[in-house]
Amino acid sequence: MSAKNLDNHNRWRSKTIAFRVSPEEDEQLEIAVRLSGLTKQDYIIRRLLNRDVVVQGNPRVYKALCDQLATVLNELRRIEAGANVSDELLDTINMIAAIMDGMKED
């Protein structure tokens, strides 16, 4: 069992919540977590509580963006004339575009 943690308001995080996802949903979640620069726990909590996920640029986020852009580029090269574009790929492209747009404002 993991140790209890304090949150930003000095409250103990002693409750465990678990849920199941499909392998495709897990991959989408992992991509979003990597691109956010947050821990998976913090990312999920912010999304569940409808709080903004603000990406803080750092080398880890930059590498995740580069890796994900390379993956998207390879997938787009595989696709002929835009046919068979999956919803997951479109979601990833939209997420990367939003992050890059936010980085442009700084």
Side-chain angles (χ1 to χ4, degrees):
M1 181 180 262
S2 62
K4 296 179 186 176
N5 295 324
L6 285 175
D7 68 1
N8 292 337
H9 301 285
N10 288 327
R11 297 177 294 209
W12 286 107
R13 287 187 168 167
S14 58
K15 295 288 190 175
T16 300
I17 296 175
F19 54 93
R20 295 181 187 276
V21 295
S22 70
E24 296 82 9
E25 291 168 330
D26 179 56
E27 182 60 29
Q28 281 187 285
L29 180 60
E30 290 295 333
I31 290 169
V33 168
R34 279 194 304 270
L35 293 176
S36 73
L38 299 171
T39 64
K40 187 182 283 189
Q41 174 178 316
D42 288 337
Y43 179 83
I44 291 172
I45 288 172
R46 287 183 187 187
R47 293 301 304 253
L48 287 173
L49 297 177
N50 207 19
R51 295 183 187 149
D52 290 335
V53 175
V54 178
V55 176
Q56 297 295 322
N58 62 44
R60 190 175 70 206
V61 171
Y62 177 76
K63 181 171 179 0
L65 275 170
C66 290
D67 292 345
Q68 200 57 47
L69 281 172
T71 302
V72 167
L73 180 60
N74 289 336
E75 187 67 18
L76 289 174
R77 284 181 178 153
R78 184 188 65 77
I79 298 169
E80 294 180 10
N84 300 325
V85 177
S86 69
D87 290 339
E88 289 86 7
L89 179 61
L90 292 174
D91 289 343
T92 301
I93 292 170
N94 285 331
M95 189 182 323
I96 291 170
I99 291 170
M100 297 298 279
D101 190 46
M103 292 173 82
K104 195 170 49 174
E105 293 173 4
D106 294 342

